[in-house]
Amino acid sequence: MAPVVPLALLALLGLLAPGLGVAFPGCDYPAHLWCSSREIAVACQAESRCTNLSRSVAAPVELSLYYESLCPACRGFLVQELFTTWLLLPADAMRITLVPYGNAEERNVSGKWHFQCQHGPEECLGNMIETCVMHEAKNFSTYFPVIFCLESGSSVTKNLEACLQIYAPQLDGGRIAACVQGDTGAALMHHNAQLTEALDPPHQYVPWILING
């Protein structure tokens, strides 16, 4: 449901700008509903003042976040800054790419990729879980709330089922687990390693944030 402009705010605007708080011919709706839909806003000549209905005219901002699942600063940025900003902005205002790897290291042993992470094996598992969630969900608006839930909870690696039930019950936890435990997860993490190692200039810390490249 689209947010509406509070009635008190519209009343105040009506006092400050004569005519703004008065319904126009063809507008049979109370002021607190003027921004509830584009059709009503047009009928009441309030479309330009309904920010929730405005369309983005600029190209979306491209934001890439290189992070680690257990890094405190990464978790703080993702949970307190990035996720809340994403919720507030129009859907087409920002495109976000998440790359969970950070300061990890990889090595190929007998054709299989193995990873060492700054905060230990638990972080490698968290990175893998979030990467596999993204792989299975495909759609950003589906997987970002799940990752937010994991990063804001008590355990990144133990709350997957609970986070899926709340934010994405359509995702199959078994398929995600299979990804984590199998070759797919390792291949996806190797891809994250390549993306991170290709940064120019190289990242110096995490979270490492790119805006429009």
Side-chain angles (χ1 to χ4, degrees):
M1 178 178 178
V4 297
V5 175
L7 177 59
L9 177 58
L10 286 172
L12 177 60
L13 291 174
L15 292 174
L16 296 176
L20 178 58
V22 179
F24 291 91
C27 175
D28 298 323
Y29 305 93
H32 71 280
L33 293 180
W34 288 0
C35 293
S36 61
S37 74
R38 186 170 301 280
E39 291 74 17
I40 294 176
V42 170
C44 297
Q45 299 187 28
E47 189 177 13
S48 65
R49 300 174 181 89
C50 297
T51 57
N52 61 302
L53 300 178
S54 62
R55 297 177 181 267
S56 175
V57 295
V61 173
E62 304 278 350
L63 186 147
S64 299
L65 173 63
Y66 293 78
Y67 72 105
E68 300 167 347
S69 64
L70 296 188
C71 159
C74 299
R75 298 178 77 174
F77 175 76
L78 190 151
V79 171
Q80 299 172 19
E81 304 291 339
L82 185 58
F83 186 76
T84 53
T85 300
W86 175 71
L87 288 177
L88 292 172
L89 290 176
D92 57 352
M94 182 166 57
R95 293 176 184 169
I96 301 172
T97 299
L98 302 177
V99 185
Y101 186 80
N103 296 318
E105 297 179 355
E106 66 173 355
R107 68 184 190 279
N108 192 305
V109 179
S110 301
K112 291 186 176 294
W113 291 107
H114 296 263
F115 304 92
Q116 289 184 328
C117 296
Q118 183 173 0
H119 299 91
E122 190 81 356
E123 180 167 81
C124 284
L125 177 58
N127 292 344
M128 186 85 77
I129 289 172
E130 294 183 5
T131 298
C132 285
V133 168
M134 289 187 263
H135 175 70
E136 288 297 324
K138 304 294 192 295
N139 186 280
F140 184 83
S141 62
T142 299
Y143 65 70
F144 194 28
V146 177
I147 292 176
F148 160 79
C149 179
L150 293 173
E151 292 292 338
S152 62
S154 58
S155 172
V156 172
T157 60
K158 297 178 182 177
N159 290 339
L160 178 61
E161 287 300 326
C163 289
L164 290 179
Q165 289 177 14
I166 296 170
Y167 291 103
Q170 71 274 26
L171 295 183
D172 187 339
R175 287 179 59 87
I176 295 172
C179 170
V180 170
Q181 297 164 9
D183 294 337
T184 300
L188 292 170
M189 285 304 304
H190 173 58
H191 179 63
N192 286 353
Q194 290 179 311
L195 291 176
T196 304
E197 292 166 3
L199 286 170
D200 185 17
H203 79 284
Q204 301 174 22
Y205 46 79
V206 286
W208 191 256
I209 303 157
L210 298 185
I211 304 295
N212 291 336

